Amino acid sequence: MKRLINGEKKRVLTDIIILGSVSSLAVYLAINFNIYDSFNRFSKSHEEWNLDDIVLSITIMLAVSFGVFSYRRWIDIQRLLKYANYDSLTGLFNRRRGHEIINDEIVRKKRYGRPLSMIMFDLDHFKEINDKFGHLKGDAVLKDVATKATFSIRATDILIRWGGEEFLVVCPETDLEGARQLAERIRGKIKDIHCPDFPGITASFGVRQMKINDDFYRFIHALDEKLYQAKSSGRDSVVG
């Protein structure tokens, strides 16, 4: 997760570095044109402006403008990245970004031959929570689930809100048994969530390690089948 976030920040910083370099160059040129002497001359009201003073003033204004533009560009890009890559409710990576992450990890797995597993889990009877308590309470439960799962996974794992009440955990460098153990840990944490007047929050889990002949769609389809088996076998369980 940390590796992915750092990658996003590096891409965002590209424009800022370019604009900052231009701004620094402008300041450097201004200093070498004896800016301090020029501003000292500006303070003398009797002195008239000459061409050098005008050029220096424009240089300083450009440097300041680039700085302000850089800051505004940073804010705009941060906002766009948030909308494009993150789920607005839980703050997790959204499905669109999840597709990119999974494809990247599949490429990395095939290149280096390291294990790659994924966990897909779905909240049990979530519709009943929405029907009985309303969507605001349902949203609160989803946020609690995201928090519990986030604190259960490792630094190298990636948690995605796949859609609705369905979540996905990408587990690089992890075999099937390691992913099962992680799924059991998340399942236990979700059961700790307290919802008044509701018998208990549980989730069903499908776990799969990527096989040699898997591509993105085959991997996801097989994972979804494991989740369906967990749902069919009584829910609140891990199948993998």
Side-chain angles (χ1 to χ4, degrees):
M1 179 74 78
K2 186 180 293 185
R3 175 170 56 84
L4 287 166
I5 293 174
N6 288 338
E8 296 289 353
K9 288 182 178 179
K10 287 179 182 178
R11 284 190 286 272
V12 171
L13 282 171
T14 301
D15 286 344
I16 308 305
I17 291 173
I18 294 173
L19 290 170
S21 299
V22 173
S23 181
S24 299
L25 178 61
V27 172
Y28 173 79
L29 293 174
I31 291 175
N32 280 270
F33 271 109
N34 298 319
I35 181 176
Y36 300 113
D37 292 341
S38 297
F39 273 113
N40 186 43
R41 292 197 302 272
F42 291 164
S43 64
K44 299 176 182 179
S45 58
H46 66 276
E47 175 129 336
E48 295 182 357
W49 289 50
N50 56 42
L51 181 60
D52 287 343
D53 294 333
I54 295 173
V55 171
L56 288 171
S57 299
I58 293 174
T59 303
I60 294 301
M61 286 188 291
L62 285 174
V64 173
S65 298
F66 274 124
V68 173
F69 180 78
S70 297
Y71 176 75
R72 288 172 61 88
R73 177 66 171 162
W74 169 268
I75 297 299
D76 290 342
I77 293 177
Q78 288 285 66
R79 188 182 298 113
L80 288 173
L81 279 176
K82 182 177 180 181
Y83 290 146
N85 295 325
Y86 297 93
D87 173 57
S88 60
L89 176 65
T90 62
L92 303 177
F93 287 120
N94 58 24
R95 186 174 185 131
R96 189 203 68 81
R97 183 67 179 111
H99 274 268
E100 297 176 351
I101 291 168
I102 296 168
N103 278 317
D104 288 345
E105 292 299 332
I106 288 175
V107 170
R108 198 166 73 91
K109 179 259 184 300
K110 291 184 176 180
R111 177 179 299 167
Y112 299 108
R114 303 297 298 166
L116 171 64
S117 298
M118 289 201 297
I119 303 166
M120 183 179 288
F121 66 95
D122 186 275
L123 298 185
D124 299 326
H125 307 294
F126 183 72
K127 185 176 183 300
E128 295 180 17
I129 298 176
N130 281 332
D131 292 344
K132 186 173 183 179
F133 302 105
H135 289 279
L136 288 179
K137 183 61 180 177
D139 287 349
V141 170
L142 290 173
K143 292 171 70 174
D144 286 343
V145 168
T147 300
K148 293 286 187 180
T150 297
F151 283 103
S152 300
I153 63 177
R154 304 157 301 181
T156 54
D157 299 324
I158 305 152
L159 180 60
I160 302 162
R161 186 182 179 191
W162 199 239
E165 66 270 23
E166 194 170 68
F167 298 81
L168 194 148
V169 185
V170 183
C171 308
E173 307 286 332
T174 306
D175 60 14
L176 183 60
E177 182 56 33
R180 281 200 197 105
Q181 293 176 10
L182 177 58
E184 286 288 359
R185 183 160 67 245
I186 298 172
R187 186 178 70 86
K189 292 295 183 181
I190 290 176
K191 292 186 72 171
D192 291 339
I193 297 174
H194 178 64
C195 182
D197 302 320
F198 196 79
I201 307 298
T202 62
S204 300
F205 293 74
V207 183
R208 178 177 170 83
Q209 180 177 346
M210 186 177 181
K211 301 184 182 301
I212 295 176
N213 60 341
D214 278 349
D215 57 15
F216 174 88
Y217 295 102
R218 186 174 298 175
F219 196 6
I220 292 294
H221 178 70
L223 190 62
D224 195 55
E225 286 186 340
K226 296 293 185 182
L227 175 58
Y228 178 77
Q229 291 174 26
K231 290 282 189 182
S232 301
S233 62
R235 296 182 169 84
D236 190 24
S237 62
V238 175
V239 173

